[in-house]
Amino acid sequence: MPRLTAGERHTVRFTLNGRAVEAQAEPRMLLTDFLRHELGATGTHVGCEHGVCGACTVEIDGVPARSCLTLAVQTDGASIRTVEGLAPEPGRLSVLQEAFRRHHALQCGFCTAGILMSLDNYLRRQPNPSEHELREFLGGHICRCTGYVPIVAAAMDAARRLRESPSDV
Amino acid sequence: MKPARFDYIRAADLAEAHDALAEYGNDARVIAGGQTLMPMLSMRLVRPKVVVDIMHLPALRGIEAGGNGIRIGAGVRQAELLAWPGLAEHLPLLNAALPWVGHAQTRSRGTVCGSAAHADPSAEIPLCLLALGATIELSSRRGRRRVPAADFFTGMMTTARAENELIEAVHIPGKQAGSGCAFKEFGRRHGDFAIVACAAIVTAASVRLAVGGVADKPVLRDFAIDDGKPLDEALDAFAWALDARDDLHATGRYRRELVRQMGRDTIEEARRCHA
């Protein structure tokens, strides 16, 4: 039986934004800390660390999930996407990111990485959301700057643009 | 907020999970989706010596519909049940209640059985299991038993699970022909734990209401239909019997009022489904 001993560091391997990565983690290490401190992927932010605020949301095996409610060792072999994986190429933002910029959908930016990961996943599954559905989905995140209105506007705008030119990302 | 140290065991089969629970008992915690255990670990409300991961056991991953109802394995995530094509037909109450469980971003990993194991008195899934007359299938190295939800939830975050036992599945009777059901919840924000949640199941012969968020566990009451007493009186008696307390979120009086009003609304909606 694979048993990882407390206090020792064990190799965890997974795919991060399409690239195979590996690093060492104690069994108790959260995926947030593994991403940030071991892999240097500091785009994922750490807010409440108990699953309430949504800042640390990443995509695990194709679904949005809280990385603070996940142990790094649980994700061995998984496929993980973080905010670093959204931009299609260096110097160009994704359609959703660009819409966030256009609509001023962020101020301090602390919650933004998590919200982008949730909405990116959501808009791929639901290309034509109603504002009500979108707000319900956004309910899994807390933003203390914007009042959410520009975030909703950015997401609806991004959804429209993605419907008009589906080949864009 | 980081968990204290523990060993992590990725069980490769059921026997390994049983062995770990037999060896460590209350010093072991089972992790499936982790959406309730992880906050408990991070806040150090629990400090287990070992955490046993059961998500690599294919035997626990299935939803099976049979003649005796639906069996939902311990590895089935809430989002998987919500996406199950048979949900609206076989389990309409859960179809109505599951969107209230946490957020899409936690349902993606959280499991149905994990919520039963955690037994938060405000949680939607234990409430529905109670209302539906579900049974919880527990297994250990020594055998297997099934406990009715009414006996399983024993109090605030406590259950009838022995420390060497694993929740392997829940069994839920399928929808009774001609019955109607409804679910309602009041909370400060969508996705919060309920201040009061109500589940009603109505047939030609019975009216059943289960209430969460008021007592230290979900509570069920079957109302007699033809005892001559108006429903409001029966709901009032039920509301008082729940022994609601004041807390940070609401007063006991407010909770009683929610049971009276929302309880009635839920029953009426279930009646409309039934009709």
Side-chain angles (χ1 to χ4, degrees), chain A residues 16-19 35-36 39-45 57-58 80-90 92 97 113 116-117:
Chain A
L16 178 63
N17 299 320
R19 231 163 30 89
L35 287 168
R36 291 175 57 84
L39 297 173
T42 53
T44 300
H45 291 171
T57 303
V58 300
I80 297 190
R81 253 179 111 224
T82 61
V83 70
E84 288 93 342
L86 286 185
E89 59 192 59
R92 187 156 79 88
Q97 288 172 308
L116 285 171
M117 293 316 294

Side-chain angles (χ1 to χ4, degrees), chain B residues 58-97:
Chain B
L60 302 184
R61 297 304 294 266
I63 303 171
E64 295 153 29
N68 296 323
I70 294 90
R71 181 183 190 272
I72 301 167
V76 175
R77 303 191 193 274
Q78 292 149 11
E80 288 168 0
L81 182 59
L82 203 47
W84 181 52
L87 189 66
E89 182 192 343
H90 296 295
L91 299 171
L93 183 65
L94 277 165
N95 192 39

Side-chain angles (χ1 to χ4, degrees), chain A residues 2-169:
Chain A
R3 178 176 185 142
L4 310 181
T5 314
E8 288 175 20
R9 289 160 64 81
H10 309 272
T11 302
V12 174
R13 296 183 181 87
F14 55 65
T15 309
L16 178 63
N17 299 320
R19 231 163 30 89
V21 294
E22 67 170 73
Q24 306 284 306
E26 274 188 52
R28 65 169 168 164
M29 181 174 262
L30 306 177
L31 178 59
T32 39
D33 293 333
F34 187 70
L35 287 168
R36 291 175 57 84
H37 303 315
E38 304 304 319
L39 297 173
T42 53
T44 300
H45 291 171
V46 183
C48 71
E49 281 196 320
H50 63 288
V52 175
C53 77
C56 70
T57 303
V58 300
E59 208 178 85
I60 303 176
D61 291 330
V63 292
R66 308 284 201 234
S67 55
C68 77
L69 296 187
T70 308
L71 296 168
V73 292
Q74 279 179 291
T75 60
D76 194 50
S79 172
I80 297 190
R81 253 179 111 224
T82 61
V83 70
E84 288 93 342
L86 286 185
E89 59 192 59
R92 187 156 79 88
L93 295 175
S94 75
V95 171
L96 179 67
Q97 288 172 308
E98 192 60 56
F100 263 59
R101 178 153 135 182
R102 216 169 27 251
H103 289 269
H104 304 285
L106 63 149
Q107 287 180 31
C108 83
F110 202 89
C111 67
T112 310
I115 291 180
L116 285 171
M117 293 316 294
S118 266
L119 290 179
D120 178 80
N121 184 282
Y122 179 68
L123 294 182
R124 270 183 281 130
R125 285 183 294 113
Q126 173 51 281
N128 195 6
S130 70
E131 185 174 322
H132 176 79
E133 289 169 351
L134 187 79
R135 281 181 177 273
E136 177 145 332
F137 192 76
L138 195 56
H141 293 272
I142 291 174
C143 170
R144 295 278 97 128
C145 300
T146 62
Y148 305 100
V149 172
I151 297 177
V152 172
M156 295 300 281
D157 185 14
R160 187 179 55 77
R161 283 168 193 257
L162 288 166
R163 283 198 305 275
E164 284 167 4
S165 40
S167 55
D168 284 359
V169 287

Side-chain angles (χ1 to χ4, degrees), chain A residues 1-6 26-28 30 33 48-50 64-66 69-71 73-74 118 137 139-141, chain B residues 1-10 16 24 31-32 35 38-39 42 44 50 53 103-105 108-109 190:
Chain A
M1 138 178 13
R3 178 176 185 142
L4 310 181
T5 314
E26 274 188 52
R28 65 169 168 164
L30 306 177
D33 293 333
C48 71
E49 281 196 320
H50 63 288
R66 308 284 201 234
L69 296 187
T70 308
L71 296 168
V73 292
Q74 279 179 291
S118 266
F137 192 76
H141 293 272
Chain B
M1 294 232 302
K2 311 291 178 191
R5 285 181 174 155
F6 52 77
D7 284 7
Y8 169 85
I9 296 175
R10 187 178 297 130
E16 287 186 353
Y24 288 94
I31 193 165
Q35 302 300 288
M38 288 303 302
S42 282
R44 302 201 179 191
V50 298
D53 188 344
H103 302 282
Q105 296 88 346
S108 60
R109 287 184 70 78
H190 188 93

Side-chain angles (χ1 to χ4, degrees), chain B residues 4 50 55-56 68 76 90 99 111 145 158-159 170 183 189 196 204 228 237 253 255 275:
Chain B
V50 298
M55 287 309 264
H56 296 264
N68 296 323
V76 175
H90 296 295
T111 61
R145 64 180 178 134
T158 50
T159 68
V170 292
F183 178 87
R189 290 164 298 256
V196 174
R253 184 180 174 187
R255 286 193 162 89

